[in-house]
């Protein structure tokens, strides 16, 4: 079997960003329904507040796992000399850009008396998890391709 030609770097970054955005939008639309998330009794650092915000961000992050995985695979299939570093910086830039957009629309500001450190910390954990998933999938992609090529050629 002939080896696949790696993607051009610019094309890979563009595909990763556009694909990640599309998969994230689809995942969030399918999993996060605004009517399902009623935040009641949010205060400071009490267990109810941490539980409600934590569950929301767990759902938010899990809805975006396929998008992060897709971006990592696309960059892993590219011709970058340092694909892990490229994935990390691409994901970090993406997360930073969309975090700035989310801050403008931050729903937690409307909750009176809520300590803002809880949703900010949850959002940071979510961003780091998504970056980690993407970097892991970039690392895993060439290994999976070698295994697939080994079994297909025999």
């Amino acid at each position: 079997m002939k080896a696949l030609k790696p993607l051009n770097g610019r094309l890979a970054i563009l595909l990763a960003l556009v694909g990640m955005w599309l998969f994230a939008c689809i995942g969030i639309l399918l999993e996060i329904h605004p009517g399902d998330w009623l935040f009641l009794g949010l205060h400071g650092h009490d267990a109810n507040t941490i539980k409600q915000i934590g569950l929301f961000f767990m759902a938010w992050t899990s809805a975006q796992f396929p998008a992060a995985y897709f971006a990592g695979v696309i960059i892993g299939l590219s011709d970058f000399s340092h694909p892990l570093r490229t994935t990390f910086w691409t994901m970090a830039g993406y997360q930073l850009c969309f975090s700035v957009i989310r801050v403008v629309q931050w729903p937690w500001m409307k909750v009176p008396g809520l300590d803002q450190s809880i949703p900010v910390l949850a959002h940071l954990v979510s961003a780091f998890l998504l970056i980690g998933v993407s970097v892991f999938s970039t690392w895993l992609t060439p290994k999976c391709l070698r295994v697939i090529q080994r079994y297909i050629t025999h």
Side-chain angles (χ1 to χ4, degrees):
M1 176 176 210
K2 193 187 329 182
L4 294 174
K5 185 177 178 183
L7 291 172
N8 176 335
R10 288 183 180 164
L11 178 63
I13 294 288
L14 182 66
L15 279 174
L17 290 173
V18 170
M20 188 169 31
W21 177 74
L22 284 173
F23 278 125
C25 288
I26 291 168
I28 289 170
L29 284 173
L30 292 176
E31 191 168 325
I32 308 293
H33 304 283
D36 294 346
W37 295 97
L38 299 174
F39 296 99
L40 303 172
L42 297 181
H43 300 296
H45 296 283
D46 62 311
N48 185 40
T49 300
I50 293 171
K51 181 183 99 183
Q52 287 185 51
I53 293 174
L55 287 174
F56 173 77
F57 275 103
M58 280 177 57
W60 175 268
T61 305
S62 68
Q64 295 184 57
F65 270 6
Y69 184 80
F70 174 80
V73 168
I74 292 296
I75 294 174
L77 293 173
S78 67
D79 61 357
F80 287 108
S81 57
H82 301 287
L84 296 177
R85 189 181 315 159
T86 303
T87 303
F88 174 81
W89 287 113
T90 301
M91 284 297 293
Y94 176 87
Q95 290 297 327
L96 179 67
C97 176
F98 280 95
S99 293
V100 168
I101 292 170
R102 284 183 202 112
V103 165
V104 173
Q105 303 170 345
W106 197 247
W108 314 108
M109 296 295 241
K110 299 173 186 163
V111 179
L114 176 63
D115 182 9
Q116 295 298 313
S117 66
I118 295 171
V120 168
L121 181 64
H123 184 71
L124 284 173
V125 169
S126 170
F128 284 124
L129 277 172
L130 292 171
I131 290 170
V133 164
S134 204
V135 169
F136 178 73
S137 66
T138 301
W139 174 79
L140 195 62
T141 298
K143 292 164 183 24
C144 290
L145 282 176
R146 278 189 294 242
V147 169
I148 290 170
Q149 286 179 346
R150 185 180 322 145
Y151 286 109
I152 288 178
T153 57
H154 286 84

